[in-house]
Coordinates of all heavy atoms in Angstrom, one line a residue:
M1 N 75.3 -265.1 77.3 CA 76.6 -264.7 77.8 C 77.7 -265.6 77.0 O 77.5 -266.7 76.7 CB 76.8 -265.1 79.3 CG 76.0 -264.2 80.2 SD 76.3 -264.6 81.9 CE 75.3 -266.1 82.1
A2 N 78.7 -264.9 76.6 CA 79.8 -265.5 75.8 C 81.1 -264.9 76.2 O 81.2 -263.8 76.6 CB 79.4 -265.4 74.4
H3 N 82.2 -265.6 75.8 CA 83.5 -265.2 75.8 C 84.0 -265.1 74.4 O 83.6 -265.9 73.5 CB 84.5 -266.2 76.5 CG 84.3 -266.0 78.0 ND1 85.1 -265.2 78.8 CD2 83.5 -266.6 78.9 CE1 84.8 -265.3 80.1 NE2 83.7 -266.3 80.2
L4 N 84.9 -264.2 74.2 CA 85.5 -264.1 72.8 C 87.0 -263.7 73.2 O 87.3 -262.7 73.8 CB 84.9 -262.9 72.0 CG 85.6 -262.7 70.6 CD1 85.5 -264.0 69.7 CD2 84.9 -261.5 70.0
I5 N 87.9 -264.5 72.7 CA 89.3 -264.2 72.8 C 89.8 -263.3 71.7 O 89.7 -263.8 70.5 CB 90.2 -265.4 72.9 CG1 89.7 -266.4 74.0 CG2 91.7 -265.0 73.0 CD1 89.9 -265.9 75.4
C6 N 90.1 -262.1 71.9 CA 90.6 -261.1 70.9 C 91.9 -261.6 70.3 O 92.6 -262.4 71.0 CB 90.8 -259.7 71.5 SG 91.3 -258.5 70.4
R7 N 92.2 -261.2 69.1 CA 93.5 -261.5 68.5 C 94.7 -261.0 69.3 O 95.8 -261.5 69.2 CB 93.6 -261.1 67.1 CG 92.6 -261.8 66.2 CD 92.5 -261.2 64.8 NE 91.5 -261.9 64.0 CZ 91.3 -261.7 62.8 NH1 92.0 -260.7 62.0 NH2 90.3 -262.3 62.1
C8 N 94.5 -260.0 70.2 CA 95.5 -259.5 71.1 C 95.7 -260.4 72.3 O 96.7 -260.2 73.1 CB 95.4 -258.1 71.4 SG 94.1 -257.8 72.7
G9 N 94.8 -261.3 72.5 CA 94.9 -262.3 73.6 C 94.0 -261.9 74.8 O 93.8 -262.6 75.7
N10 N 93.3 -260.7 74.7 CA 92.3 -260.3 75.8 C 91.1 -261.1 75.6 O 90.5 -261.4 74.7 CB 92.0 -258.9 75.6 CG 91.2 -258.4 76.6 OD1 91.4 -258.7 77.9 ND2 90.1 -257.5 76.4
D11 N 90.7 -261.7 76.9 CA 89.4 -262.4 77.0 C 88.3 -261.5 77.3 O 88.2 -260.9 78.3 CB 89.6 -263.5 78.2 CG 88.4 -264.4 78.3 OD1 87.5 -264.2 77.5 OD2 88.5 -265.2 79.2
M12 N 87.4 -261.3 76.4 CA 86.2 -260.6 76.5 C 85.0 -261.3 76.9 O 84.8 -262.5 76.4 CB 86.0 -259.8 75.1 CG 87.1 -258.9 74.7 SD 86.7 -258.0 73.3 CE 86.8 -259.3 72.0
W13 N 84.2 -260.8 77.7 CA 83.0 -261.5 78.3 C 81.9 -260.5 78.3 O 82.0 -259.4 78.8 CB 83.3 -262.0 79.6 CG 82.2 -262.8 80.3 CD1 81.6 -263.9 79.8 CD2 81.7 -262.5 81.6 NE1 80.6 -264.3 80.7 CE2 80.7 -263.5 81.8 CE3 81.8 -261.6 82.5 CZ2 79.9 -263.5 82.9 CZ3 81.1 -261.6 83.6 CH2 80.1 -262.5 83.9
N14 N 80.7 -261.0 77.8 CA 79.6 -260.0 77.8 C 78.5 -260.4 78.9 O 77.3 -260.0 78.9 CB 78.9 -260.0 76.4 CG 78.2 -261.4 76.2 OD1 78.4 -262.4 76.8 ND2 77.2 -261.3 75.1
G15 N 79.0 -261.2 79.9 CA 78.1 -261.7 80.9 C 77.6 -260.6 81.9 O 76.6 -260.6 82.6
K16 N 78.3 -259.5 82.0 CA 78.0 -258.4 82.9 C 77.1 -257.4 82.2 O 77.4 -257.0 81.1 CB 79.3 -257.7 83.4 CG 79.1 -256.6 84.5 CD 80.4 -256.1 84.9 CE 80.2 -254.9 85.8 NZ 81.5 -254.2 86.0
S17 N 76.0 -257.0 82.8 CA 75.2 -256.1 82.2 C 74.8 -254.9 83.0 O 74.4 -255.1 84.2 CB 73.8 -256.7 81.8 OG 73.0 -255.9 81.1
P18 N 75.2 -253.7 82.7 CA 75.7 -253.3 81.3 C 77.2 -253.6 81.2 O 77.8 -253.8 82.3 CB 75.4 -251.9 81.2 CG 75.4 -251.4 82.6 CD 74.9 -252.5 83.5
N19 N 77.7 -253.7 80.1 CA 79.2 -253.9 79.9 C 79.7 -252.9 78.8 O 78.9 -252.3 78.1 CB 79.4 -255.2 79.6 CG 78.9 -255.7 78.2 OD1 79.3 -255.2 77.1 ND2 77.9 -256.5 78.2
D20 N 81.0 -252.8 78.7 CA 81.6 -251.9 77.8 C 82.2 -252.6 76.6 O 83.0 -252.2 75.8 CB 82.8 -251.1 78.3 CG 82.3 -250.0 79.4 OD1 81.2 -249.4 79.2 OD2 83.0 -249.9 80.5
I21 N 81.7 -253.9 76.5 CA 82.3 -254.8 75.4 C 81.4 -254.9 74.1 O 81.8 -254.7 73.1 CB 82.5 -256.2 75.9 CG1 83.4 -256.3 77.1 CG2 82.9 -257.3 74.8 CD1 84.9 -256.1 76.8
E22 N 80.1 -254.9 74.4 CA 79.1 -255.2 73.4 C 78.4 -254.0 73.0 O 77.9 -253.2 73.8 CB 78.2 -256.3 74.0 CG 77.3 -257.0 72.9 CD 76.6 -258.2 73.6 OE1 76.4 -258.3 74.7 OE2 76.3 -259.0 72.7
F23 N 78.2 -253.8 71.7 CA 77.4 -252.7 71.1 C 76.5 -253.2 70.1 O 76.6 -254.2 69.6 CB 78.4 -251.8 70.5 CG 79.4 -251.1 71.3 CD1 80.6 -251.7 71.7 CD2 79.2 -249.8 71.8 CE1 81.5 -251.2 72.5 CE2 80.2 -249.2 72.6 CZ 81.3 -249.9 73.0
W24 N 75.4 -252.4 70.0 CA 74.3 -252.8 68.9 C 74.3 -251.7 67.8 O 74.2 -250.6 68.2 CB 73.0 -252.9 69.7 CG 73.1 -254.0 70.8 CD1 73.3 -253.7 72.1 CD2 73.1 -255.4 70.7 NE1 73.4 -254.8 72.8 CE2 73.2 -255.9 71.9 CE3 72.9 -256.2 69.6 CZ2 73.3 -257.3 72.2 CZ3 73.0 -257.6 69.8 CH2 73.2 -258.1 71.1
V25 N 74.2 -252.1 66.7 CA 74.2 -251.2 65.5 C 73.0 -251.4 64.8 O 72.6 -252.5 64.3 CB 75.4 -251.4 64.6 CG1 75.5 -250.5 63.5 CG2 76.8 -251.3 65.5
Y26 N 72.3 -250.2 64.4 CA 71.0 -250.3 63.7 C 71.2 -249.4 62.5 O 71.8 -248.3 62.5 CB 70.0 -249.7 64.6 CG 69.8 -250.3 65.8 CD1 70.4 -249.8 67.0 CD2 68.9 -251.4 66.0 CE1 70.2 -250.5 68.3 CE2 68.9 -252.1 67.2 CZ 69.5 -251.6 68.3 OH 69.3 -252.2 69.5
S27 N 70.7 -249.9 61.3 CA 70.8 -249.1 60.1 C 69.8 -247.9 60.2 O 68.9 -248.0 60.9 CB 70.5 -250.0 58.9 OG 69.2 -250.3 58.9
D28 N 70.0 -247.0 59.3 CA 69.1 -245.9 59.3 C 67.7 -246.3 58.8 O 66.7 -245.8 59.3 CB 69.6 -244.9 58.2 CG 68.9 -243.6 58.1 OD1 68.6 -242.9 59.2 OD2 68.3 -243.3 57.1
K29 N 67.7 -247.4 58.0 CA 66.5 -248.0 57.5 C 65.7 -248.6 58.6 O 64.5 -248.4 58.8 CB 66.8 -249.1 56.4 CG 65.7 -249.4 55.5 CD 66.2 -250.3 54.5 CE 65.3 -250.4 53.3 NZ 65.9 -251.3 52.2
T30 N 66.4 -249.3 59.5 CA 65.8 -249.9 60.7 C 65.2 -248.8 61.6 O 64.1 -248.9 62.0 CB 66.8 -250.8 61.4 OG1 67.1 -251.9 60.6 CG2 66.1 -251.3 62.7
M31 N 66.0 -247.8 61.8 CA 65.6 -246.8 62.7 C 64.3 -246.0 62.2 O 63.4 -245.6 62.8 CB 66.7 -245.7 62.9 CG 67.9 -246.3 63.7 SD 67.5 -247.0 65.3 CE 67.1 -245.5 66.2
D32 N 64.3 -245.9 60.8 CA 63.2 -245.1 60.2 C 61.9 -246.0 60.4 O 60.7 -245.6 60.4 CB 63.4 -244.9 58.7 CG 64.2 -243.6 58.5 OD1 64.5 -243.0 59.5 OD2 64.7 -243.4 57.4
S33 N 62.1 -247.4 60.4 CA 60.9 -248.2 60.5 C 60.3 -248.2 61.8 O 59.2 -248.8 62.0 CB 61.3 -249.6 60.1 OG 62.1 -250.3 61.1
L34 N 60.9 -247.8 62.8 CA 60.5 -247.7 64.2 C 59.6 -246.4 64.5 O 59.9 -245.4 63.9 CB 61.5 -247.7 65.2 CG 62.5 -249.0 65.0 CD1 63.6 -248.9 66.1 CD2 61.7 -250.2 65.4
S35 N 58.7 -246.6 65.2 CA 57.8 -245.4 65.6 C 58.4 -244.9 66.9 O 58.5 -245.5 67.9 CB 56.3 -245.8 65.9 OG 55.7 -244.8 66.6
F36 N 58.8 -243.6 66.8 CA 59.4 -243.0 68.0 C 58.3 -242.4 68.9 O 58.6 -241.8 70.0 CB 60.4 -241.9 67.6 CG 61.7 -242.5 67.2 CD1 61.9 -242.7 65.8 CD2 62.6 -243.0 68.1 CE1 63.1 -243.3 65.4 CE2 63.8 -243.6 67.7 CZ 64.0 -243.8 66.3
E37 N 57.1 -242.7 68.6 CA 56.0 -242.3 69.5 C 55.8 -243.4 70.5 O 54.9 -243.4 71.4 CB 54.8 -242.0 68.7 CG 54.9 -240.7 67.8 CD 53.7 -240.4 67.0 OE1 52.6 -240.9 67.3 OE2 53.8 -239.6 66.1
D38 N 56.5 -244.5 70.3 CA 56.4 -245.6 71.3 C 56.8 -245.1 72.7 O 57.7 -244.5 72.8 CB 57.3 -246.7 70.8 CG 57.2 -248.0 71.6 OD1 56.6 -248.0 72.6 OD2 57.6 -249.0 71.0
S39 N 56.1 -245.4 73.7 CA 56.4 -245.0 75.0 C 57.6 -245.6 75.6 O 58.2 -245.2 76.4 CB 55.2 -245.2 75.9 OG 54.8 -246.5 76.0
I40 N 57.9 -246.9 75.0 CA 59.1 -247.6 75.5 C 59.9 -247.9 74.3 O 59.9 -249.0 73.8 CB 58.7 -248.9 76.3 CG1 57.7 -248.5 77.3 CG2 60.0 -249.5 76.9 CD1 57.2 -249.7 78.1
P41 N 60.7 -247.0 73.8 CA 61.6 -247.2 72.6 C 62.5 -248.4 72.7 O 62.7 -249.0 71.7 CB 62.3 -245.9 72.4 CG 61.7 -244.9 73.2 CD 60.9 -245.6 74.3
F42 N 63.0 -248.7 73.9 CA 64.0 -249.7 74.0 C 63.4 -251.0 73.6 O 64.0 -251.8 72.9 CB 64.5 -249.9 75.4 CG 65.4 -251.0 75.6 CD1 66.7 -251.0 75.2 CD2 65.0 -252.1 76.3 CE1 67.7 -252.0 75.4 CE2 65.8 -253.2 76.4 CZ 67.1 -253.1 76.0
L43 N 62.1 -251.3 73.9 CA 61.4 -252.5 73.5 C 61.3 -252.7 72.1 O 61.3 -253.8 71.5 CB 60.1 -252.7 74.2 CG 60.1 -252.7 75.8 CD1 58.6 -252.8 76.3 CD2 60.8 -254.0 76.1
S44 N 61.2 -251.5 71.4 CA 61.1 -251.6 69.9 C 62.4 -252.0 69.2 O 62.5 -252.5 68.2 CB 60.7 -250.2 69.4 OG 59.3 -249.9 69.8
L45 N 63.6 -251.6 70.0 CA 64.8 -251.9 69.4 C 65.3 -253.3 69.7 O 66.2 -253.8 69.1 CB 65.8 -250.9 70.0 CG 65.7 -249.5 69.5 CD1 66.5 -248.6 70.3 CD2 65.9 -249.4 68.1
C46 N 64.7 -254.0 70.7 CA 65.3 -255.3 71.2 C 65.5 -256.4 70.1 O 66.5 -257.0 70.1 CB 64.3 -255.9 72.2 SG 64.5 -255.2 73.9
N47 N 64.6 -256.5 69.2 CA 64.8 -257.5 68.2 C 65.1 -256.9 66.8 O 65.0 -257.5 65.8 CB 63.4 -258.3 68.1 CG 63.3 -259.1 69.3 OD1 64.2 -259.7 69.9 ND2 62.0 -259.1 69.8
K48 N 65.5 -255.7 66.7 CA 65.8 -255.0 65.5 C 67.3 -254.8 65.2 O 67.6 -254.2 64.2 CB 65.1 -253.6 65.5 CG 63.7 -253.6 65.6 CD 63.0 -254.0 64.4 CE 61.5 -253.7 64.5 NZ 60.9 -254.1 63.3
D49 N 68.2 -255.2 66.1 CA 69.6 -255.0 65.8 C 70.0 -255.6 64.6 O 69.7 -256.7 64.2 CB 70.4 -255.6 67.0 CG 70.1 -257.0 67.3 OD1 69.0 -257.3 67.8 OD2 71.0 -257.8 67.1
D50 N 70.7 -254.9 63.7 CA 71.3 -255.3 62.5 C 72.6 -256.0 62.7 O 72.9 -256.9 62.0 CB 71.3 -254.2 61.5 CG 69.9 -253.6 61.2 OD1 69.0 -254.4 61.1 OD2 69.7 -252.4 61.1
Y51 N 73.4 -255.4 63.6 CA 74.8 -255.9 63.9 C 75.0 -255.9 65.3 O 74.7 -255.0 66.0 CB 75.9 -255.1 63.1 CG 75.8 -255.2 61.6 CD1 75.1 -254.2 60.9 CD2 76.2 -256.3 61.0 CE1 75.0 -254.3 59.5 CE2 76.2 -256.5 59.6 CZ 75.5 -255.4 58.9 OH 75.5 -255.6 57.5
N52 N 75.7 -256.9 65.7 CA 76.2 -257.0 67.1 C 77.7 -256.7 67.1 O 78.4 -257.4 66.2 CB 75.8 -258.3 67.7 CG 76.4 -258.5 69.1 OD1 76.8 -259.5 69.5 ND2 76.3 -257.5 70.0
V53 N 78.3 -255.8 67.8 CA 79.7 -255.5 67.7 C 80.4 -255.5 69.0 O 79.8 -255.0 70.0 CB 79.8 -254.0 67.2 CG1 81.4 -253.7 67.1 CG2 79.3 -253.9 65.8
W54 N 81.5 -256.3 69.0 CA 82.3 -256.3 70.3 C 83.5 -255.5 70.1 O 84.2 -255.6 69.1 CB 82.6 -257.9 70.6 CG 81.5 -258.7 71.2 CD1 80.2 -258.7 70.7 CD2 81.6 -259.7 72.1 NE1 79.5 -259.6 71.5 CE2 80.3 -260.2 72.4 CE3 82.6 -260.1 73.0 CZ2 80.1 -261.2 73.2 CZ3 82.4 -261.1 73.9 CH2 81.1 -261.6 74.0
R55 N 83.8 -254.7 71.1 CA 85.0 -253.9 71.1 C 86.0 -254.4 72.1 O 85.6 -254.3 73.3 CB 84.7 -252.4 71.3 CG 85.8 -251.5 71.1 CD 85.5 -250.1 71.4 NE 86.6 -249.3 71.8 CZ 87.2 -249.2 73.0 NH1 86.6 -249.8 74.0 NH2 88.2 -248.5 73.1
C56 N 87.2 -254.6 71.7 CA 88.2 -255.0 72.7 C 88.7 -253.8 73.4 O 89.3 -252.9 72.8 CB 89.4 -255.8 72.0 SG 90.7 -256.2 73.2
P57 N 88.6 -253.7 74.8 CA 89.1 -252.5 75.4 C 90.6 -252.4 75.5 O 91.1 -251.4 75.8 CB 88.6 -252.7 76.9 CG 88.3 -254.1 77.0 CD 88.0 -254.7 75.6
E58 N 91.4 -253.5 75.1 CA 92.8 -253.4 75.2 C 93.4 -252.9 73.9 O 94.3 -252.1 73.9 CB 93.4 -254.8 75.4 CG 93.1 -255.4 76.8 CD 93.5 -254.6 78.0 OE1 94.6 -254.0 77.9 OE2 92.8 -254.4 78.9
C59 N 93.0 -253.4 72.8 CA 93.6 -253.0 71.5 C 92.6 -252.2 70.6 O 93.0 -251.7 69.5 CB 94.0 -254.2 70.8 SG 92.8 -255.3 70.1
G60 N 91.2 -252.2 70.9 CA 90.3 -251.4 70.1 C 89.8 -252.1 68.9 O 89.0 -251.6 68.2
R61 N 90.2 -253.4 68.7 CA 89.7 -254.2 67.6 C 88.1 -254.2 67.6 O 87.5 -254.4 68.9 CB 90.2 -255.5 67.5 CG 91.5 -255.6 66.8 CD 91.9 -257.2 66.6 NE 93.2 -257.3 66.0 CZ 94.4 -257.3 66.6 NH1 94.4 -257.3 68.0 NH2 95.5 -257.4 66.0
L62 N 87.5 -254.2 66.6 CA 85.9 -254.4 66.5 C 85.7 -255.7 65.8 O 86.2 -255.9 64.7 CB 85.3 -253.2 65.7 CG 85.5 -251.8 66.3 CD1 84.8 -250.9 65.4 CD2 84.9 -251.7 67.7
Y63 N 84.8 -256.5 66.4 CA 84.4 -257.8 65.9 C 82.9 -257.6 65.5 O 82.1 -257.3 66.5 CB 84.5 -258.9 66.9 CG 86.0 -259.3 67.2 CD1 86.7 -258.5 68.1 CD2 86.6 -260.2 66.5 CE1 88.0 -258.7 68.3 CE2 87.9 -260.5 66.7 CZ 88.7 -259.7 67.7 OH 90.1 -260.0 67.9
V64 N 82.5 -257.7 64.3 CA 81.2 -257.5 63.9 C 80.4 -258.8 63.6 O 81.0 -259.6 62.7 CB 81.1 -256.6 62.7 CG1 79.7 -256.4 62.1 CG2 81.9 -255.3 62.9
F65 N 79.3 -259.0 64.2 CA 78.5 -260.2 64.0 C 77.2 -259.7 63.3 O 76.6 -258.7 63.8 CB 78.2 -260.9 65.3 CG 79.4 -261.3 66.1 CD1 80.0 -260.4 66.9 CD2 79.9 -262.6 65.9 CE1 81.1 -260.7 67.7 CE2 81.1 -262.9 66.6 CZ 81.6 -262.0 67.5
D66 N 76.7 -260.5 62.4 CA 75.5 -260.1 61.7 C 74.3 -261.0 62.1 O 73.2 -260.7 61.6 CB 75.7 -260.0 60.2 CG 75.9 -261.4 59.6 OD1 76.2 -262.3 60.4 OD2 75.9 -261.5 58.4
E67 N 74.5 -261.9 62.9 CA 73.3 -262.8 63.4 C 73.5 -262.9 64.8 O 74.6 -263.0 65.4 CB 73.4 -264.1 62.8 CG 73.1 -264.0 61.2 CD 73.1 -265.4 60.7 OE1 72.8 -266.4 61.3 OE2 73.5 -265.6 59.5
K68 N 72.3 -262.9 65.6 CA 72.4 -263.1 67.0 C 72.8 -264.5 67.3 O 72.4 -265.4 66.6 CB 70.9 -262.9 67.6 CG 70.5 -261.6 67.9 CD 69.2 -261.4 68.6 CE 69.0 -260.1 69.1 NZ 67.8 -259.8 69.7
G69 N 73.7 -264.6 68.2 CA 74.1 -266.0 68.6 C 75.1 -266.5 67.7 O 75.6 -267.6 67.8
C70 N 75.6 -265.7 66.7 CA 76.5 -266.2 65.8 C 78.0 -266.4 66.4 O 78.3 -265.4 67.1 CB 76.6 -265.2 64.6 SG 77.7 -265.8 63.2
V71 N 78.6 -267.4 66.3 CA 79.9 -267.7 66.9 C 81.1 -267.0 66.1 O 82.0 -266.5 66.8 CB 80.1 -269.2 67.0 CG1 81.4 -269.4 67.6 CG2 79.0 -269.8 67.9
K72 N 81.0 -267.0 64.8 CA 82.1 -266.4 64.1 C 81.8 -265.1 63.6 O 80.6 -264.8 63.1 CB 82.4 -267.3 63.0 CG 83.5 -266.9 62.1 CD 83.9 -268.1 61.1 CE 85.1 -267.9 60.2 NZ 85.8 -266.8 60.3
S73 N 82.7 -264.1 63.9 CA 82.4 -262.7 63.5 C 82.5 -262.6 61.9 O 83.2 -263.3 61.3 CB 83.4 -261.8 64.1 OG 84.8 -262.2 63.7
K74 N 81.7 -261.7 61.3 CA 81.7 -261.5 59.8 C 82.9 -260.6 59.5 O 83.4 -260.9 58.5 CB 80.4 -260.8 59.5 CG 80.2 -260.7 58.1 CD 78.7 -260.3 57.6 CE 78.7 -260.3 56.1 NZ 77.4 -260.2 55.7
Y75 N 83.2 -259.6 60.4 CA 84.2 -258.7 60.0 C 85.1 -258.5 61.3 O 84.5 -258.5 62.4 CB 83.8 -257.3 59.5 CG 82.9 -257.4 58.4 CD1 81.4 -257.1 58.5 CD2 83.2 -257.7 57.0 CE1 80.6 -257.2 57.5 CE2 82.4 -257.7 56.0 CZ 81.0 -257.4 56.2 OH 80.2 -257.5 55.2
V76 N 86.4 -258.2 61.1 CA 87.2 -257.8 62.3 C 88.0 -256.4 61.8 O 88.6 -256.5 60.6 CB 88.3 -258.8 62.6 CG1 89.1 -258.4 63.8 CG2 87.5 -260.1 63.1
Y77 N 87.9 -255.4 62.5 CA 88.6 -254.1 62.2 C 89.6 -253.9 63.3 O 89.3 -253.9 64.5 CB 87.6 -253.0 62.1 CG 86.5 -253.2 61.2 CD1 85.3 -253.8 61.4 CD2 86.8 -252.7 59.8 CE1 84.3 -253.9 60.4 CE2 85.8 -252.9 58.8 CZ 84.6 -253.6 59.1 OH 83.6 -253.6 58.1
K78 N 90.8 -253.3 62.9 CA 91.8 -253.1 63.7 C 92.1 -251.6 63.5 O 92.4 -251.2 62.4 CB 93.0 -253.9 63.5 CG 94.3 -253.6 64.4 CD 95.3 -254.4 64.2 CE 96.6 -254.0 65.0 NZ 97.8 -254.8 64.6
P79 N 92.2 -250.7 64.6 CA 92.5 -249.4 64.4 C 94.0 -249.2 63.8 O 94.9 -250.1 64.2 CB 92.5 -248.8 65.8 CG 91.7 -249.7 66.6 CD 91.9 -251.1 66.0
E80 N 94.1 -248.2 62.9 CA 95.4 -248.0 62.4 C 96.4 -247.4 63.3 O 97.6 -247.6 63.2 CB 95.2 -247.2 61.1 CG 94.6 -248.0 59.9 CD 94.6 -247.1 58.6 OE1 95.2 -246.1 58.6 OE2 93.8 -247.6 57.7
E81 N 95.8 -246.6 64.2 CA 96.7 -245.9 65.1 C 96.1 -246.0 66.5 O 95.0 -246.2 66.7 CB 96.9 -244.4 64.7 CG 97.5 -244.2 63.5 CD 97.6 -242.8 63.0 OE1 97.6 -241.9 63.9 OE2 97.8 -242.5 61.8
Ligands
ZN101 ZN1 92.3 -256.9 71.7

């Protein structure tokens, strides 16, 4: 569980599960490496996330982290409109 203060000032928290803050992004290469014949696909994905993304519900900014538990985001995207 962590907090992240968005540049707009909104305090985001991922402590509630499920939540609308945190997203997991998988590359096509990672998805191809998984067997979809697995009876529990979610377990196959648990340690395969390539990027962890937080989305601010107030301004829509995306904070992209490339390592689990990484404190500093690698990229920050702000919607143009
Ligand atoms: Zn924000």
Side-chain angles (χ1 to χ4, degrees):
M1 294 183 284
H3 281 270
L4 175 67
I5 304 296
C6 180
R7 292 180 184 179
C8 76
N10 185 39
D11 183 1
M12 298 182 288
W13 180 59
N14 71 345
K16 185 179 170 190
S17 182
N19 64 68
D20 292 323
I21 301 290
E22 197 169 21
F23 297 81
W24 304 97
V25 179
Y26 305 93
S27 71
D28 186 57
K29 201 174 198 178
T30 298
M31 295 304 287
D32 280 353
S33 72
L34 300 174
S35 168
F36 285 97
E37 294 179 16
D38 189 338
S39 60
I40 308 174
F42 177 76
L43 293 177
S44 298
L45 290 170
C46 282
N47 294 316
K48 298 281 189 187
D49 53 292
D50 295 324
Y51 293 100
N52 176 221
V53 178
W54 285 40
R55 182 184 161 276
C56 176
E58 297 298 321
C59 70
R61 278 188 179 90
L62 299 177
Y63 294 82
V64 178
F65 302 87
D66 63 351
E67 294 178 31
K68 274 189 177 174
C70 189
V71 175
K72 188 170 181 353
S73 58
K74 184 169 183 166
Y75 307 107
V76 178
Y77 298 94
K78 180 182 176 187
E80 290 184 11
E81 296 178 24

